[in-house]
Amino acid sequence: MRADALRRRAAVVQAARSLIAARGSDVALDAVADAAGVGIGTLYRNFDSRAALLDAVALAILDEVHAVTHEAAQALAHAPQDAWDDYVRRLVGLELGALTAALADHAGDALARDVREAQDRALDGVGSLLAAAQREGLVRDDLTPLELVTAVGMITRPQPEAVRRAAPDLRERMVSILLQGLRPEHRGAR
């Protein structure tokens, strides 16, 4: 694929990701094309269906989760608490709510093989990092990788405009509450 075609494809994926994070996965494909600065024909040349576009969004996010997790694992040895807190905040910045929407709204029970493999790889990495953070005493020992990713995804799900206006700092407050609640001293009954 030519460089300009790759840039257009990446722009479509990024636009879809941003719009899904803000509005949910039922965003109009015309709106995605407009946000990417391409025509609807270009979108369909790159993605023959909404499901194909949602798969591409999911793969992009999962690849970033894997990369952020790898970087956090490296940093954990030097400044464990800062590395862990930064990791959770970076996961929030990846808009995992968009990933949840992309996976849930079109896939049903059968994810595409490459999406399933990327998801498994990302969760394995999160699990390894989580185990290291638990050994450092940073995180309660009953937290699972899926619970962590799901919690971050819930924080980053699209919120109605009225909620965003009424509580513009809601996401940051929720992240602070999550980080505090993950600490071992806040272990509660399940």
Side-chain angles (χ1 to χ4, degrees), residues 3 8 17 33 39 60 79 85 99 102 106 118 126 131 149 155 170 175 186:
R8 283 192 297 273
R17 181 176 172 172
D85 289 355
L99 173 64
H106 83 286
V126 171
V149 171
I155 289 171
L170 179 63
V175 171
H186 288 87

Side-chain angles (χ1 to χ4, degrees), residues 1 5-21 27 29 32-33 35-38 42-43 46-47 49-64 94-95 98 102:
M1 194 176 275
L6 286 172
R7 279 192 301 275
R8 283 192 297 273
R9 180 181 172 83
V12 170
V13 171
Q14 184 56 47
R17 181 176 172 172
S18 295
L19 289 171
I20 291 167
V27 66
L29 295 183
V32 172
V38 302
T42 297
L43 185 146
N46 283 279
F47 305 100
S49 66
R50 176 181 295 275
L53 177 57
L54 293 174
D55 282 350
V57 168
L59 287 169
I61 295 170
L62 289 165
D63 285 347
E64 289 182 23
L94 295 179
E95 300 287 358

Side-chain angles (χ1 to χ4, degrees), residues 29-106:
L29 295 183
D30 287 339
V32 172
D34 287 346
V38 302
I40 193 70
T42 297
L43 185 146
Y44 277 111
R45 272 192 297 284
N46 283 279
F47 305 100
D48 62 359
S49 66
R50 176 181 295 275
L53 177 57
L54 293 174
D55 282 350
V57 168
L59 287 169
I61 295 170
L62 289 165
D63 285 347
E64 289 182 23
V65 168
H66 182 74
V68 165
T69 302
H70 178 74
E71 291 168 14
Q74 305 276 342
L76 201 66
H78 307 291
Q81 188 67 63
D82 290 342
W84 176 255
D85 289 355
D86 182 60
Y87 174 66
V88 172
R89 291 182 192 288
R90 287 183 72 191
L91 284 179
V92 168
L94 295 179
E95 300 287 358
L96 296 183
L99 173 64
T100 303
L103 293 176
D105 290 349
H106 83 286

Side-chain angles (χ1 to χ4, degrees), residues 65 91-92 95-100 103 119 123 126 143-157 178 182:
V65 168
L91 284 179
V92 168
E95 300 287 358
L96 296 183
L99 173 64
T100 303
L103 293 176
Q119 183 181 38
L123 277 176
V126 171
L143 182 68
T144 69
L146 184 58
E147 289 169 339
L148 174 62
V149 171
T150 301
V152 170
M154 291 169 69
I155 289 171
T156 61
R157 288 289 295 202
L178 174 65
L182 294 177

